Amino acid sequence: MTETVAADEMLRDTADALDPLADAEQGVVKNRAKVGSARPSSLLYTYGPGAIMDLPGFSVMPAGLDDWEPIWKRRPLVPTITEPRLLDVVRLHLGPQVDALRPYPWQPKQGSFSQEGADLGIPARVFPQWFRCTGCDYLGPLPRFTYTNSHPFRPDLAQFTHKNCPGRGRQRAGSPPKKRESPAVPAQHLLTCTNGHLDEFPYALWVHRGTKCPKAELPDLKMRDANVGKSVGSTIECASCRATRSMAEAQGALGRDKLPQKCRGRHPHLNAFDRDCNARPALIMMGASNLWFASTQSIIVMPRTEAEKTNALANRLRAELGIDQVKQFAGQLDFIRALAKARNIDLTGVSDDDLAAAVAEVLTPPDSEEERQEKLAAWDPVELLVPEWRYLQKPALFPQQQNSSGLMVTEMQRGPELHERISRVVAVNQMKKVNAVLGFTRLDEMDRVNDVVSRLVKLTRNGRPTWVPTTEDRGEGIFLQLDREAVEAWENTIHGTALWAAHRDAHRRNFYRRFSETAKLVDPDTRLPAPRYWLLHSLSHVLIREMAMSCGYGAASLTERIYGWPTTPSREGAAGLLICTTASDSEGTLGGLVALSEPTRLQGLVTSALRRASRCSSDPVCAMRIPSDPEDFLHGAACHCCSFASETSCEKANRFLDRRFLLTLPNTGGEAVPGFFGTADAL
């Protein structure tokens, strides 16, 4: 588990970097009981820097990378994950100054002689910092509340309270006022914009309609829940002038016109402001799903070529020794070896020629900014999948694989009853997946991280990180490859159908609505996956549902990796899918999934999955679903009853699914669509 915050440090929100241990080192006694923790996978996809993490009593926001540095500086060794193929992609997007991929800073386990809080994980700030008292409805900023957390082994008890809370009831005449200590909860309303800024809602300005209170400089506010039947949302009331205003007025397009017209450019995770933000703020609730979208890239580690080995060594030297030191001693390889040994870089087996090549690569000047921007504009995420696809096409290399790459695959025999259009089966006995965070967006999720580069929220104050958070997972899987000639012939048929035209039009409508203010910069037709992707994606989902009943893992633990793109002048076409499960511990997974690649078990599983896909408890509604204007859903004959998977399993959020591409379904209405695997009766 990765520890999230130290209790007392959360009360600070200064321009300095968060450093939970600095005061303790100076002899200041502090309450450092734990308040929360999270797994690296959730910090990667759900609660990374800039996201809001709900704790039992309040919410925190993991800080930017600048605030992680004090944690690393206190440790004798800063670990790195060496994967040149992924690092090259990160440097393309964030700049050549990125020289390392680092794991999340785990908090060391407490030993018998250690002290609580001797080291920490990821620092965080309390956010939102406006709270509402549950006893009297008082609404105020964080300093008006008291933080309590005295039990070192009960992080769930950490909370903010309102001391001397008078409660809601009326006091009897002449009786002393009742005082109590009531728990406080975060106020739910926030302001955000498409440039990724996030700010507190201006409650005082809102209730006074943009002016100051006529009776008090800093009036007390109350947030009262609306009674059922009166209005939607809460009502803000000024205790001094008795002005009231409903939060329902701030919702929707009309409500946006009543909000401040200029964004302040605030980044709470960096404790910083951007100047001159030209986007209009919009109301958003604290738990909204569009508050934070992670921009990540991931690869499966493959056996490295000689060039990749040189690149990997150059990256280690650049990160550990620095370019200046490598340049100073470039001609003294023995001294370079001594420096590397001092930094725990193992050069055993590295010849002088290989070391000299790595040093030369370190000293090679990076591309100019203009060249980098040109490459970035032309970059396609498929480029990360191409090396994996090409390796899987060369079974002669499988017996020569090296365990150091973390990948072990085995070409499997096809079962005699396996559908003829599944041409190959590969058992992935062991695999290693590396995932890196490049940034995040708010309000709109980008299909590609290079869509609108300016909208990618920075992870550091200067916007030029020298490293990015990365996770390393191990697991197992099964790779299935379809007959590419059959896929191409089927795809050419689908392109001319009315169903495909309806999906294309729905995608255009969805794209412009989903991307709102930034959609005009991207052509939606370039982001519509080809019919073969819909086919592979639908097949992957029905197999995940079927495999979950036999492999020993829950369906939410299985993930997909789709290799589906048509042939272009620069790359060959692909038609395959990988269903895998990964875990962040050192042992990986247990073998239950890869065992399903055995020919007899797999052919029965595939047949059963396709037969289940031919029927849905929502048919005929599901089987006849075709989007038409103004509908903009990105699926056809697919729903929660037959095809949808959990968000941890699907790489496209249950978009681009249609059972009619798998099988020829009866009674679909309109034009008949040929399924790739024919009819269910022929299985």
Side-chain angles (χ1 to χ4, degrees):
M1 304 291 279
T2 300
E3 297 306 329
T4 308
V5 286
D8 285 347
E9 185 59 31
M10 295 185 305
L11 302 180
R12 299 172 54 189
D13 193 7
T14 65
D16 299 330
L18 287 177
D19 193 355
L21 302 180
D23 290 340
E25 291 170 347
Q26 298 173 8
V28 178
V29 178
K30 304 185 72 174
N31 172 15
R32 299 211 305 266
K34 300 176 184 178
V35 295
S37 60
R39 294 185 177 275
S41 57
S42 65
L43 289 168
L44 184 75
Y45 298 112
T46 312
Y47 298 124
I52 294 179
M53 177 184 293
D54 285 325
L55 300 177
F58 50 92
S59 300
V60 297
M61 177 177 289
L65 304 188
D66 297 307
D67 297 321
W68 298 23
E69 288 296 344
I71 304 298
W72 289 123
K73 288 179 180 178
R74 288 182 172 84
R75 301 191 177 183
L77 177 66
V78 178
T80 59
I81 296 175
T82 304
E83 186 44 55
R85 189 157 62 95
L86 182 58
L87 182 58
D88 288 344
V89 173
V90 174
R91 298 182 76 193
L92 174 65
H93 287 82
L94 302 183
Q97 80 286 343
V98 180
D99 54 26
L101 307 173
R102 293 185 189 176
Y104 286 89
W106 293 57
Q107 181 182 37
K109 292 184 178 179
Q110 184 178 3
S112 57
F113 297 102
S114 65
Q115 296 179 352
E116 182 69 20
D119 198 355
L120 297 174
I122 299 172
R125 293 180 170 87
V126 173
F127 193 85
Q129 294 194 343
W130 274 69
F131 281 73
R132 169 179 173 263
C133 174
T134 58
C136 65
D137 297 327
Y138 169 74
L139 177 67
L142 188 65
R144 300 292 295 272
F145 298 88
T146 303
Y147 175 75
T148 58
N149 178 26
S150 57
H151 199 300
F153 303 108
R154 291 292 304 275
D156 56 299
L157 298 180
Q159 66 176 354
F160 287 89
T161 59
H162 184 205
K163 284 191 174 182
N164 299 324
C165 169
R168 297 188 182 90
R170 293 185 178 182
Q171 301 291 334
R172 289 186 178 181
S175 63
K178 294 181 180 180
K179 301 294 183 182
R180 69 191 77 180
E181 189 172 354
S182 301
V185 295
Q188 299 286 315
H189 308 88
L190 301 168
L191 292 180
T192 188
C193 74
T194 52
N195 288 332
H197 300 119
L198 188 66
D199 208 348
E200 306 277 1
F201 190 86
Y203 293 104
L205 289 175
W206 175 256
V207 71
H208 296 106
R209 302 183 183 273
T211 63
K212 293 184 177 181
C213 176
K215 295 187 176 181
E217 183 68 22
L218 297 173
D220 286 345
L221 304 179
K222 290 185 179 292
M223 176 183 286
R224 303 191 186 279
D225 291 330
N227 293 328
V228 177
K230 285 192 173 182
S231 63
V232 178
S234 305
T235 299
I236 310 301
E237 177 184 336
C238 176
S240 299
C241 67
R242 299 301 177 186
T244 62
R245 194 174 189 184
S246 172
M247 291 302 303
E249 295 184 36
Q251 300 176 6
L254 295 178
R256 195 171 186 180
D257 294 334
K258 301 176 183 179
L259 298 175
Q261 299 301 296
K262 184 173 178 58
C263 175
R264 295 202 306 165
R266 184 184 181 189
H267 288 307
H269 68 295
L270 302 176
N271 195 27
F273 289 80
D274 286 340
R275 296 181 179 178
D276 301 325
C277 176
N278 56 6
R280 292 181 57 191
L283 177 70
I284 192 169
M285 304 303 288
M286 192 180 75
S289 59
N290 60 343
L291 182 64
W292 189 83
F293 295 107
S295 293
T296 63
Q297 297 298 322
S298 64
I299 64 163
I300 294 175
V301 178
M302 315 296 293
R304 293 173 185 161
T305 63
E306 292 301 321
E308 289 174 336
K309 291 178 181 178
T310 301
N311 191 7
L313 179 55
N315 291 333
R316 288 292 306 278
L317 296 176
R318 185 186 296 110
E320 300 293 341
L321 305 183
I323 296 178
D324 293 338
Q325 193 165 222
V326 173
K327 183 177 181 180
Q328 181 180 357
F329 302 105
Q332 306 175 41
L333 296 184
D334 291 340
F335 199 77
I336 292 289
R337 288 181 182 274
L339 292 173
K341 184 177 181 180
R343 301 296 298 179
N344 292 326
I345 302 177
D346 185 11
L347 296 183
T348 304
V350 178
S351 66
D352 286 347
D353 291 340
D354 292 339
L355 181 57
V359 169
E361 185 165 336
V362 172
L363 301 180
T364 301
D367 292 337
S368 66
E369 185 63 20
E370 291 76 14
E371 292 174 330
R372 186 176 75 87
Q373 292 297 336
E374 290 179 3
K375 291 181 179 180
L376 184 60
W379 182 78
D380 189 332
V382 168
E383 295 177 13
L384 286 173
L385 302 176
V386 171
E388 301 168 14
W389 168 261
R390 289 176 177 170
Y391 180 79
L392 292 169
Q393 300 309 299
K394 301 175 181 178
L397 297 177
F398 295 172
Q400 306 172 12
Q401 57 202 347
Q402 299 177 358
N403 292 338
S404 59
S405 69
L407 181 68
M408 292 183 63
V409 295
T410 305
E411 183 85 6
M412 302 296 292
Q413 294 292 327
R414 294 182 69 260
E417 298 180 10
L418 184 64
H419 199 288
E420 61 182 5
R421 291 199 164 184
I422 298 178
S423 60
R424 290 180 64 228
V425 179
V426 177
V428 184
N429 307 92
Q430 293 181 17
M431 58 175 284
K432 185 165 63 175
K433 186 179 179 184
V434 181
N435 320 278
V437 179
L438 277 66
F440 64 91
T441 61
R442 303 196 194 277
L443 287 182
D444 298 331
E445 181 182 15
M446 296 189 292
D447 278 2
R448 296 181 186 174
V449 70
N450 59 332
D451 274 342
V452 188
V453 179
S454 61
R455 288 196 49 242
L456 192 65
V457 181
K458 56 191 180 182
L459 298 177
T460 60
R461 294 184 181 92
N462 63 8
R464 297 179 63 81
T466 58
W467 57 274
V468 296
T470 309
T471 62
E472 194 174 43
D473 302 330
R474 290 170 173 81
E476 58 178 296
I478 302 175
F479 172 78
L480 301 181
Q481 181 174 322
L482 303 187
D483 184 333
R484 281 187 283 176
E485 293 184 358
V487 168
E488 290 176 0
W490 171 86
E491 191 173 49
N492 291 333
T493 302
I494 294 298
H495 275 303
T497 62
L499 175 62
W500 182 248
H503 282 318
R504 184 179 62 246
D505 293 341
H507 177 261
R508 291 170 180 169
R509 293 189 293 268
N510 180 283
F511 192 92
Y512 286 124
R513 293 169 185 171
R514 178 165 56 95
F515 274 69
S516 64
E517 300 167 10
T518 59
K520 60 184 179 182
L521 302 176
V522 182
D523 180 5
D525 288 346
T526 63
R527 304 304 159 84
L528 176 64
R532 71 175 67 192
Y533 185 94
W534 291 64
L535 165 65
L536 290 163
H537 198 202
S538 302
L539 176 61
S540 173
H541 276 228
V542 298
L543 288 176
I544 285 175
R545 295 166 71 98
E546 192 71 24
M547 288 178 175
M549 294 185 285
S550 305
C551 67
Y553 302 107
S557 299
L558 304 181
T559 60
E560 63 188 5
R561 198 166 179 87
I562 308 297
Y563 303 89
W565 56 83
T567 301
T568 65
S570 60
R571 69 173 74 98
E572 62 179 350
L577 61 92
L578 172 66
I579 297 176
C580 59
T581 180
T582 56
S584 58
D585 60 61
S586 59
E587 298 301 325
T589 48
L590 303 176
L593 179 59
V594 74
L596 298 181
S597 62
E598 191 273 328
T600 304
R601 297 187 67 181
L602 183 63
Q603 63 188 15
L605 186 148
V606 171
T607 301
S608 177
L610 291 175
R611 285 176 176 169
R612 288 180 189 273
S614 66
R615 299 180 299 273
C616 175
S617 58
S618 295
D619 283 343
V621 174
C622 178
M624 299 176 63
R625 184 181 292 112
I626 299 176
S628 59
D629 195 14
E631 296 169 331
D632 62 357
F633 49 83
L634 298 181
H635 61 274
C639 68
H640 288 284
C641 300
C642 60
S643 302
F644 284 2
S646 67
E647 61 181 8
T648 57
S649 300
C650 181
E651 66 179 24
K652 289 293 186 181
N654 285 319
R655 301 191 295 256
F656 313 123
L657 297 166
D658 198 323
R659 290 184 292 132
R660 284 168 293 203
F661 293 156
L662 284 177
L663 299 164
T664 303
L665 300 183
N667 302 323
T668 58
E671 178 186 16
V673 179
F676 180 76
F677 292 102
T679 62
D681 296 336
L683 295 174

